[in-house]
Amino acid sequence: MPTDSFVHETLGQRVILEAGGAGRHLTAEVDRLGAARIMLIAAEAEAPLADRVAAGLPVALRWTEVVQHVPAELAERAREAAARCRADLLVTVGGGSTTGLAKAVALTSRVPIIAVPTTYAGSEATAVWGLTEGRHKSTGVHASVLPATVIYDSTLTLSLPVGLSVASGFNGLAHCIDSMWAPGSDPINRALALEGIRVLAAGLPKVVADPSGIEGRDECLYGAYLSAVSFASAGSGLHHKICHVLGGSYSLPHAETHAIVLPHVLALNAPGVPERGLRIGQALGGTEPVAALDRLREAVGAPRALKDVGFEEADIGDAAARILPVVPASNPVAVSLPVLEDLLRAAWNGGRS
C-alpha cells in the first residue's frame, strides 16, 4: 500500500535493558563517557536505589530536591549547584520529574545525562524539556536534553506501588495514542506507537496480578521506551496539550492526569481517523478503541476522575480557555471551547465526553 510522503527524524541514544544490571551498566557508561564529577539526581524516596546503582562512582554532588512539573526556581538552583561542583555528567535515578530536572540543567550547561528510570514515564527517551513558572508550563525541544544513555532495570521498579505503576503505564499509553495523530505523526512513529500500546496493554495486567514479577515490569519498561520514542518524533498532540495545562496551571499529579484524560481524547479523536482508531483498538486487544481502553482501565483499576486528584469543577471554563490556543491545528477533529469544556467535565466526573 502506498505511504504518504513524510520526513522522520530518529534521535541517537544508547538504550540498555537488563533486569538487575543497572549498577554494572551505569559503571560501564560512566567509564565510556570519561566522567569524573557526577551530579546524582534522585529524590529522597529513591535514595536506596540511587545508592545501589551508583555505588563506587565519582559522585561530586547528591541532589534530592525533585518536584513535578519542574518549577523554574528549582531548575535555577540545580543549575547553580551543578556549576559549583563542576559536574561533567548528570545521572538520574527516578521518574519523569527527576529526568525533567536533569534536562533543565542540561539545557543550559550542555552536561550529558545518563537516565536510570524507575517508572514508565518515558521522558528519558525524548528531547523535550518542560519548566513551570507561576501557573504556566513551558515546553521545548533541544538535542542537549536527550539523555546520552538510558538504562532500564525492572528490579528498580519493584518498589513502585501498583496504583502508581498503572497510572505511569497509562502515561505511556497516552504518549502512544497521542502519537497516532500528533502534528509530526508518520508511518514510522505510528508503528512504534502501536507496538508500545500492545506491549503496555499486555504488561500492565501482569504487574497488577503479580507486583513482584519481572516479566510484566520488563514489558512496561519496553513499552514506555517505545511510547517515548514515538512521541519524540510525532510531537505533542491534543492530549498532551490538555495535560500540560492541567498540570502546570492546577498542580495536578502528572501520571494520574494523563491516565484520566486519555479515554476522553481518544473518544473525541478516533472517529476523525477511523482506520487509526481501529488499529489502536486492535493493539489494545479489541476492535473499537474506546471500549478496548475501557476494558483495560477496568482490569487494572486505572484512575478515572479529575475530581479525585484535586481538580475543581469551577476551573473547567478557565482550563478550557487556557487549552484552546495551544490545540494543534492538525488535530483530526475540530476543537472549540464548548468541546473542551464538555471533555473536561466528563474527565472531572469520570464519565464519557
Side-chain angles (χ1 to χ4, degrees), residues 61-283:
L61 175 66
R62 292 282 297 260
W63 185 274
T64 60
E65 186 183 2
V66 175
V67 179
Q68 67 175 355
H69 307 303
V70 193
E73 60 273 16
L74 171 60
E76 193 55 39
R77 289 199 301 275
R79 289 164 174 168
E80 292 170 357
R84 283 196 303 272
C85 79
R86 306 191 311 280
D88 60 3
L89 179 65
L90 308 172
V91 172
T92 69
V93 180
S97 298
T98 306
T99 307
L101 180 59
K103 287 181 170 185
V105 175
L107 183 64
T108 57
S109 68
R110 303 299 193 259
V111 174
I113 303 169
I114 295 178
V116 185
T118 60
T119 71
Y120 313 123
S123 174
E124 66 278 355
T126 79
V128 178
W129 57 266
L131 290 172
T132 301
E133 193 162 9
R135 295 180 64 196
H136 178 70
K137 184 171 184 177
S138 300
T139 61
V141 179
H142 197 280
S144 65
V145 309
L146 178 73
T149 303
V150 181
I151 300 172
Y152 291 113
D153 178 347
S154 53
T155 67
L156 302 181
T157 71
L158 291 173
S159 60
L160 188 66
V162 168
L164 190 52
S165 296
V166 169
S168 184
F170 267 72
N171 186 12
L173 282 172
H175 283 97
C176 293
I177 290 173
D178 223 19
S179 297
M180 295 298 291
W181 42 60
S185 182
D186 65 43
I188 296 174
N189 50 47
R190 289 197 292 271
L192 293 169
L194 288 166
E195 176 64 359
I197 294 169
R198 186 193 68 78
V199 173
L200 285 164
L204 284 170
K206 293 176 185 176
V207 172
V208 173
D210 182 14
S212 62
I214 292 300
E215 181 182 352
R217 293 184 182 270
D218 264 352
E219 288 180 331
C220 286
L221 283 175
Y222 172 51
Y225 172 72
L226 290 172
S227 78
V229 172
S230 60
F231 176 74
S233 171
S236 183
L238 176 63
H239 173 90
H240 279 78
K241 296 300 186 183
I242 292 171
C243 291
H244 284 166
V245 169
L246 293 178
S249 299
Y250 308 97
S251 299
L252 302 189
H254 184 82
E256 291 86 345
T257 300
H258 280 272
I260 293 165
V261 170
L262 178 59
H264 305 287
V265 177
L266 179 61
L268 175 69
N269 276 350
V273 276
E275 187 270 338
R276 295 181 196 180
L278 175 61
R279 294 172 72 190
I280 291 170
Q282 290 171 337

Side-chain angles (χ1 to χ4, degrees), residues 275-296:
E275 187 270 338
R276 295 181 196 180
L278 175 61
R279 294 172 72 190
I280 291 170
Q282 290 171 337
L284 286 165
T287 51
E288 202 284 320
V290 178
L293 184 63
D294 277 345
R295 282 194 294 273
L296 179 62

